[in-house]
């Protein structure tokens, strides 16, 4: 039975990632991978995967980082990619087969609720796949139990939207033509749910992770043409969500977002600042 047919605490996210955000990520996969690749690689560097590692990629999406992990752990190692989004997993599976990897398994599983192999992994990793849990403490506990003694965790997650002008600027510009958008709960499942480093550290500690490090990492993201960057801004993040629910605003929002991105258009495409946490912890 597909996850989307089950009544579970993450049912809303499962619906979204199967019916709305997931298909968008599939459609814009190459641009999104290019946009966030450096950030994922920075977290992979902190994980420092070793040949032979049994590793888990949490919320692996369309599989970009599973392929990187699989190359790093080699033929003696293994990567399991888990995700709640069937359309994204299908793309990931296809990419792994096309590239001839034999050390990868994909599973349609909710990282918070699914029984994972007890102490089954040497390393847990995620690129922006751990911020969507209805009950993050429960999810991190479940993940902790899947890590062998001495095992390690590394992931990258967004800081606040204010520290991410590449998402804030299009959103702010759009607000000038959209009806008032009700303020959202900053702790609700979503891209910024782990933006508060104190909460993040507390959650990991409560889930029995130890030796947590939370490293601030800032960079430029982008590189697309002004038109492509505009289109991408309209499809992902909080603005993408608002526009999917109010598609009749698309034309007017497109114009103001394009104008807002124009000052950031350089010889190497639209370049904007992004701010993330690189997080590491160990099993004990
Ligand atoms: C922002 S996307 C990142 C995808 C991928 N890691 C990447 O970097 O391309 C977030 C991913 O987390 C997945 N996800 C959300 N909640 C999840 C959960 N409870 N268990 C497993 N995956 C989840 C989504 O389906 C989606 O693929």
């Amino acid at each position: 039975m597909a996850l989307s047919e089950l009544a579970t605490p993450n049912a809303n996210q499962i619906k979204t990632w199967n019916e709305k955000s997931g298909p968008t990520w599939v459609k814009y996969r190459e641009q999104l991978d290019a946009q966030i690749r450096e950030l994922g690689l920075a977290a992979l560097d902190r994980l420092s995967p070793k040949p032979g590692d049994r590793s888990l990629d949490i919320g692996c999406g369309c599989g970009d980082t599973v392929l990187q992990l699989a190359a790093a752990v080699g033929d003696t190692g293994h990567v399991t990619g888990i995700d709640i989004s069937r359309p994204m997993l299908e793309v990931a599976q296809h990419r792994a087969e096309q590239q001839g990897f034999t050390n990868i398994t994909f599973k349609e599983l909710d990282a918070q609720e699914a029984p994972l192999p007890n102490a089954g992994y040497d390393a847990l990793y995620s690129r922006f796949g751990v911020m969507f849990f209805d009950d993050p403490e429960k999810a991190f506990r479940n993940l902790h139990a899947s890590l062998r003694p001495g095992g390690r965790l590394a992931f990258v997650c967004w800081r606040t939207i204010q520290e991410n002008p590449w998402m804030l600027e299009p959103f702010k510009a759009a607000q000038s033509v959209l009806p008032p958008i009700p303020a959202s709960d900053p702790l609700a499942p979503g891209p910024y749910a782990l933006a508060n480093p104190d909460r993040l550290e507390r959650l990991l500690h409560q889930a029995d992770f130890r030796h947590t490090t939370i490293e601030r990492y800032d960079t430029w993201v982008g590189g697309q043409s002004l038109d492509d960057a505009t289109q991408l801004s309209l499809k992902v993040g909080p603005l993408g969500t608002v526009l999917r629910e109010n598609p009749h605003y698309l034309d007017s929002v497109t114009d103001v977002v394009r104008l807002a991105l124009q000052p950031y258009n350089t010889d190497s495409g639209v370049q904007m600042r992004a701010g993330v946490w690189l997080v590491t912890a160990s099993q004990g």
Side-chain angles (χ1 to χ4, degrees), residues 17 25 59-61 83-85 88 109-111 127-128 132-133:
W17 285 103
W25 272 69
C60 65
D83 204 285
I84 53 174
S85 171
M88 294 173 84
L109 290 179
D110 178 343
R127 182 177 84 178
F128 302 117
F132 304 93
F133 303 133

Side-chain angles (χ1 to χ4, degrees), residues 66-202:
V66 173
L67 306 180
Q68 294 161 357
L69 263 173
V73 302
D75 289 342
T76 56
H78 191 86
V79 188
T80 305
I82 62 168
D83 204 285
I84 53 174
S85 171
R86 191 167 274 198
M88 294 173 84
L89 282 170
E90 281 169 2
V91 173
Q93 179 80 51
H94 180 68
R95 291 172 81 187
E97 281 165 9
Q98 255 194 339
Q99 297 191 28
F101 280 99
T102 55
N103 59 348
I104 296 176
T105 309
F106 291 104
K107 293 186 176 165
E108 187 182 351
L109 290 179
D110 178 343
Q112 176 182 313
E113 300 293 319
L116 299 172
N118 192 31
Y121 300 110
D122 302 298
L124 308 181
Y125 170 84
S126 186
R127 182 177 84 178
F128 302 117
V130 290
M131 303 92 77
F132 304 93
F133 303 133
D134 164 76
D135 183 342
E137 187 186 331
K138 183 177 180 193
F140 282 116
R141 264 187 198 290
N142 194 34
L143 292 166
H144 181 268
S146 78
L147 206 49
R148 70 153 169 84
R152 55 214 198 279
L153 163 77
F155 65 82
V156 54
C157 62
W158 298 114
R159 302 210 308 271
T160 60
I161 192 169
Q162 286 73 22
E163 294 165 279
N164 280 286
W166 74 283
M167 289 220 237
L168 179 67
E169 294 300 329
F171 193 64
K172 263 191 354 203
Q175 279 175 324
S176 65
V177 291
L178 285 170
I181 301 167
S184 56
D185 173 1
L187 304 186
Y192 310 107
L194 299 180
N196 179 329
D198 297 332
R199 176 169 187 253
L200 185 46
E201 181 158 25
R202 197 169 51 247

